[in-house]
Amino acid sequence: MTTTPLTTGFDRRSFLRGSAVAAMAIFGTAVAAGCSSAVDEASSAGDASATPKRGGTLKAGIPLDVVPANFLTNTAGATTVIGLAYDSLVRYPNDKLEPQPLLAKSWQLSSDGLSLTLELRDDVTFHSGRAFTSKDAEFSLRTYADPKWTAQLRSTAAAITSYDTSDPHRLVLRFAHPLGNIYDLLDTVPVLDSESLDKLAAGEAFIGTGPFKLTSRTPNSSLTFERNEKYFLADRPYLDRVEVSIVKDSQALLNSLRSGQVQSAFNLNYRDAQNLSKDNGFRTITFDGAELQIYVGANVTNPALADVRLRQAIAYALDRERVISEVFRGYGYTINAPWPKASPAFEAGRNETYALNTERAKQLVSAVGGVRAPLPLTYQANNPYYAATAQIVQANLAAVGIPVTLDPVEPAVFVKQLIGAQFPGLWVTFHSWAQYTPSTLATSAYPFNATKNASRFTSAAYTSAADSAWKIVDGTGAEAVSRYKAITDELLKDLFLIEIGVTFNQLVTSASVHGVRWTKRSEQVYTDAFIS
């Protein structure tokens, strides 16, 4: 397999410097001059007393390459490229839903919530050298709304009815109705280069405004990034280069970290990460504020799963504490509703609705007449924590009379089934977006979207609750919180998704790596990273 230099409009000799080795889901960010930034409030890792050092190459390992067709779905290796090479208009800090400046310096939302005016930076260029303007922001949001890209917040982008780009450094958006999650969208959408979108779709060029430029890519093997010398934050990034290796096998990734071939590794087995954290030569970074939820999904059109009583039986049968303790080594907590503790929708008492109760589960299975044929339980192959969770779920359900057959599939196949609602029975995976404005989950996330979801579940009451929570000016205010209760009511009543627990992505680095940060989507932020 050959390494293909990517077309970016700068010195092509720089494409081939050095070998392409490693890194994962890396998110570039910056401090806007004269204003606060999300980076100021994000957590970091490393020796706090270490002095930042300019230069060097960071090598890290990730399990999956970017799939160009899935670039805007927040899945697989796309987060690596977006994190390093792209910026968004605003950036959330890890610990709250308060947007901070990035490419937008400031903004003003109208009192009726029907328009938003953003003042944009005037010192930003794409990696090709072209100046960033309001038309680029419009192009990015319109592209995100295009069904071709199957982006998860597409409904919010589609609710933008007009764009005023008459001033190159001001963007005025008007909405069909108030959007309580508009800042979720602006935090999520990467600013794209309109002149190279066709090359992005073909995997030939990835041109953004971010702190690093993607200069070469060997599909399913490596990605190479060079420092963006014209990044709008003059002294960032500190690193000269980031080399990314695609290492699909978790054990091989662990070995690469131990041997020094890579300096950071993402998505290691939680047990391995815990063991490495005991070694002074490594640090394990837990991405607080970027929570993930492990859950069991159900295709409600499967005849056995169509009866909510069987889904209730599954909810009572799950040993959530065992999953969090054994698979995720205690990094998390059990839930019944999807919301993490920091969410405006979180209610501690709702998470006791379906406590472990095998006798109650057996009664419900008996009430529906039992399960005649084993239900398939699909999960991503070659992933240690999905496999381990699936095995526990299989044992839990067998104990109450629900036979399950394990169905491991390749990650690309799994994503296709998730987006296309093609799972035959049950499945196990993570979902995200609950750490954002709660209406985003119910109107956008593939598993939860009230209009089309992976479970093929439809409900007028659920759709009404989702819409009511979405079409509000302030997505974190008291009125919104009261509306989120209705979403929780419907989720706990219908159980087309059965939550297990909240957990966190982790990054393991060598002790020489400092200043690593992350976004609410678990994208690694290396803008301030340096090597001692």
Side-chain angles (χ1 to χ4, degrees):
M1 185 176 294
T2 60
T3 299
T4 304
L6 299 173
T7 305
T8 55
F10 48 85
D11 183 6
R12 296 178 64 86
R13 289 177 297 179
S14 68
F15 294 173
L16 303 177
R17 289 200 297 255
S19 61
V21 187
M24 169 71 182
I26 306 164
F27 213 128
T29 186
V31 179
C35 57
S36 64
S37 165
V39 173
D40 295 329
E41 302 184 44
S43 299
S44 63
D47 183 358
S49 65
T51 302
K53 177 183 177 183
R54 175 74 171 84
T57 296
L58 177 70
K59 301 180 179 182
I62 64 174
L64 297 170
D65 193 10
V66 56
V67 178
N70 293 342
F71 192 72
L72 298 179
T73 64
N74 199 49
T75 57
T79 54
T80 301
V81 178
I82 292 173
L84 280 163
Y86 292 82
D87 289 316
S88 54
L89 292 172
V90 304
R91 177 69 47 78
Y92 278 136
N94 296 140
D95 60 347
K96 61 189 71 173
L97 294 172
E98 295 180 3
Q100 303 296 307
L102 198 53
L103 295 187
K105 298 186 298 183
S106 62
W107 46 87
Q108 181 65 50
L109 181 68
S110 64
S111 59
D112 61 5
L114 294 178
S115 68
L116 178 68
T117 300
L118 298 109
E119 303 296 334
L120 307 179
R121 296 187 68 102
D122 60 4
D123 57 352
V124 176
T125 60
F126 286 94
H127 299 154
S128 61
R130 185 173 65 82
F132 159 71
T133 71
S134 56
K135 290 187 181 295
D136 296 302
E138 175 186 2
F139 174 80
S140 302
L141 290 164
R142 287 189 182 277
T143 300
Y144 193 88
D146 186 341
K148 166 186 175 181
W149 294 95
T150 61
Q152 296 195 67
L153 273 71
R154 181 166 61 87
S155 59
T156 301
I160 301 173
T161 57
S162 71
Y163 298 80
D164 181 349
T165 59
S166 55
D167 184 325
H169 305 305
R170 177 181 296 119
L171 175 66
V172 182
L173 306 175
R174 292 182 173 83
F175 312 133
H177 51 75
L179 295 170
N181 69 336
I182 183 59
Y183 299 113
D184 292 13
L185 178 72
L186 302 184
D187 170 85
T188 298
V189 175
V191 170
L192 305 168
D193 173 38
S194 60
E195 296 182 357
S196 62
L197 187 66
D198 56 338
K199 294 180 180 179
L200 184 156
E204 298 173 356
F206 298 86
I207 299 175
T209 65
F212 294 92
K213 301 178 287 190
L214 179 58
T215 54
S216 69
R217 172 181 172 233
T218 301
N220 296 311
S221 178
S222 63
L223 303 160
T224 302
F225 297 84
E226 304 279 351
R227 184 179 193 268
N228 178 6
E229 299 291 345
K230 296 182 179 180
Y231 194 52
F232 64 82
L233 188 62
D235 61 344
R236 300 290 195 283
Y238 292 123
L239 296 167
D240 289 333
R241 186 180 176 94
V242 178
E243 297 180 350
V244 179
S245 285
I246 316 300
V247 185
K248 295 184 178 181
D249 181 76
S250 180
Q251 185 61 45
L253 184 56
L254 173 64
N255 292 339
S256 294
L257 184 65
R258 281 176 167 165
S259 67
Q261 291 178 290
V262 302
Q263 297 149 299
S264 72
F266 193 66
N267 269 13
L268 285 178
N269 183 301
Y270 281 74
R271 184 186 299 272
D272 292 333
Q274 187 179 59
N275 289 336
L276 282 173
S277 68
K278 301 173 184 176
D279 187 323
N280 290 334
F282 299 97
R283 297 188 180 95
T284 296
I285 306 167
T286 299
F287 286 8
D288 294 315
E291 295 89 347
L292 298 170
Q293 288 74 22
I294 187 76
Y295 74 98
V296 176
N299 177 353
V300 300
T301 65
N302 180 298
L305 295 168
D307 192 321
V308 71
R309 292 175 296 176
L310 191 70
R311 305 198 298 270
Q312 290 173 339
I314 294 171
Y316 281 120
L318 294 178
D319 189 344
R320 295 172 175 82
E321 292 286 357
R322 180 183 174 193
V323 173
I324 295 300
S325 174
E326 293 186 10
V327 180
F328 299 104
R329 311 303 296 170
Y331 289 103
Y333 47 91
T334 63
I335 54 172
N336 286 175
W339 320 113
K341 292 178 179 179
S343 171
F346 179 79
E347 298 175 84
R350 307 302 289 277
N351 292 314
E352 302 300 323
T353 307
Y354 296 100
L356 178 61
N357 188 334
T358 55
E359 289 307 311
R360 179 59 179 148
K362 289 177 181 178
Q363 292 169 4
L364 288 163
V365 172
S366 177
V368 300
V371 180
R372 297 181 179 179
L375 292 167
L377 178 62
T378 307
Y379 61 93
Q380 294 185 48
N382 302 318
N383 183 302
Y385 38 86
Y386 289 150
T389 300
Q391 290 164 8
I392 292 174
V393 170
Q394 182 187 42
N396 290 164
L397 299 190
V400 301
I402 304 174
V404 165
T405 300
L406 298 182
D407 176 34
V409 299
E410 290 301 310
V413 173
F414 188 93
V415 171
K416 181 179 179 180
Q417 290 178 301
L418 180 70
I419 296 174
Q422 298 171 358
F423 294 115
L426 301 170
W427 69 92
V428 165
T429 192
F430 286 139
H431 72 76
S432 187
W433 301 108
Q435 74 274 31
Y436 279 84
T437 306
S439 61
T440 287
L441 191 77
T443 60
S444 305
Y446 298 135
F448 288 88
N449 193 324
T451 58
K452 180 184 178 182
N453 53 67
S455 295
R456 302 187 179 183
F457 173 79
T458 59
S459 160
Y462 180 51
T463 300
S464 176
D467 282 348
S468 175
W470 183 40
K471 298 175 181 179
I472 192 168
V473 176
D474 182 358
T476 60
E479 184 179 357
V481 170
S482 69
R483 298 185 186 192
Y484 299 147
K485 293 179 185 295
I487 294 177
T488 302
D489 288 343
E490 297 303 315
L491 292 174
L492 293 178
K493 175 171 67 73
D494 292 309
L495 287 175
F496 59 96
L497 300 172
I498 304 159
E499 301 285 354
I500 297 175
V502 169
T503 187
F504 307 87
N505 270 323
Q506 293 183 326
L507 179 73
V508 182
T509 73
S510 70
S512 63
V513 177
H514 308 271
V516 177
R517 306 176 191 273
W518 58 91
T519 71
K520 292 186 77 67
R521 287 181 303 284
S522 292
E523 295 153 330
Q524 297 158 46
V525 178
Y526 286 142
T527 308
D528 295 329
F530 61 97
I531 301 170
S532 61

